[in-house]
Amino acid sequence: NTFVRNKRVKDVKKKVEDGKFVQSNLVMGYQMQGFTEKEYHSVLAVFGEIFCGTSLNSKLYQYLRNDNSLCYRVQTIYQKFDEALLISVGLESKNKNLAVKLIQKAMKEMAMGKFSDEELEMAKEQLCFALTMSLDNQNSIINNYLFHNLVGTPLLEERKEDLLAVTKEDIMKLAKKMKHALIYELKEVSHEGN
């Protein structure tokens, strides 16, 4: 098995460290528990595009940036082989608690299916377009064949079919398997007295 089976976290771990930065970096970690191969190879990608993808209409972008002007950037990082989803947000420290609540709200909404069929179809289209573009890139093709042979990642052509087959129920089921495990803040330098 190529996955690291991490010890399951019972309670959310919280840590704050001071740094010499002009903005804080908030990282929220989720354990991806008991995912199937289909969930790793296709459902997770569609989930990610709706939750915090390349679109300015993703849930996290809407809640954190558009609706509340809390952050400068937000991104998700999938550590597939470590079974972890990391959400990284650049913000002012004073906005951390609201950002945490909004991220938790967005995750809960994904598990409840509170996203439209239009969002689902748009996410699939964007991912399929990216796959089509990958077919013109030698490094993408080589990486795909490498991971196909090492860990069974579907080939690019197969992956497109798999993405198009993802349903709302698939995404809801996957989101319910996400276990909140970490809140970490690398805190900005105090702006007081400047």
Side-chain angles (χ1 to χ4, degrees):
N1 193 344
T2 55
F3 298 99
V4 174
R5 297 291 175 209
N6 294 306
K7 183 176 138 188
R8 299 298 181 211
V9 175
K10 293 180 182 156
D11 297 314
V12 176
K13 295 182 182 192
K14 299 177 182 179
K15 179 147 179 96
V16 176
E17 291 184 277
D18 290 327
K20 295 180 179 179
F21 306 99
V22 294
Q23 71 177 5
S24 290
N25 191 40
L26 168 68
V27 176
M28 289 181 61
Y30 285 82
Q31 287 184 316
M32 301 186 300
Q33 299 183 342
F35 282 18
T36 64
E37 288 299 312
K38 175 187 174 184
E39 288 171 328
Y40 275 121
H41 295 308
S42 56
V43 180
L44 184 58
V46 180
F47 164 89
E49 191 65 27
I50 297 168
F51 186 66
C52 183
T54 57
S55 167
L56 300 180
N57 295 318
S58 73
K59 279 195 176 291
L60 291 186
Y61 195 88
Q62 285 296 315
Y63 289 163
L64 298 175
R65 187 152 172 91
N66 288 354
D67 296 349
N68 292 286
S69 302
L70 295 181
C71 68
Y72 307 105
R73 71 165 171 76
V74 58
Q75 70 183 51
T76 52
I77 303 161
Y78 300 98
Q79 301 287 349
K80 176 181 173 180
F81 298 109
D82 292 324
E83 297 186 317
L85 164 70
L86 303 176
I87 302 160
S88 177
V89 183
L91 45 59
E92 290 183 46
S93 186
K94 68 181 182 180
N95 295 328
K96 178 185 95 172
N97 291 336
L98 180 55
V100 167
K101 287 180 187 172
L102 291 171
I103 292 167
Q104 290 170 330
K105 173 186 174 184
M107 184 64 78
K108 188 174 187 179
E109 287 179 356
M110 294 298 290
M112 295 170 55
K114 289 191 174 183
F115 53 91
S116 69
D117 291 340
E118 182 182 338
E119 288 173 295
L120 175 61
E121 292 309 312
M122 187 168 36
K124 291 181 198 181
E125 287 174 20
Q126 288 170 328
L127 291 166
C128 286
F129 177 75
L131 283 177
T132 300
M133 297 301 289
S134 294
L135 291 170
D136 287 336
N137 182 297
Q138 287 180 340
N139 288 335
S140 294
I141 294 168
I142 291 167
N143 282 335
N144 183 237
Y145 279 109
L146 174 68
F147 283 100
H148 174 73
N149 287 298
L150 291 177
V151 295
T153 301
L155 295 172
L156 293 173
E157 298 85 4
E158 298 167 6
R159 189 145 187 243
K160 198 172 194 179
E161 292 174 23
D162 294 343
L163 290 171
L164 292 172
V166 172
T167 66
K168 187 174 214 168
E169 291 72 26
D170 291 333
I171 293 171
M172 292 166 60
K173 184 178 173 186
L174 177 133
K176 289 174 185 168
K177 293 180 181 182
M178 296 278 192
K179 169 78 170 126
H180 191 194
L182 172 72
I183 299 173
Y184 173 81
E185 180 186 11
L186 186 55
K187 199 169 179 182
E188 69 209 25
V189 173
S190 175
H191 297 293
E192 296 172 15
N194 289 344

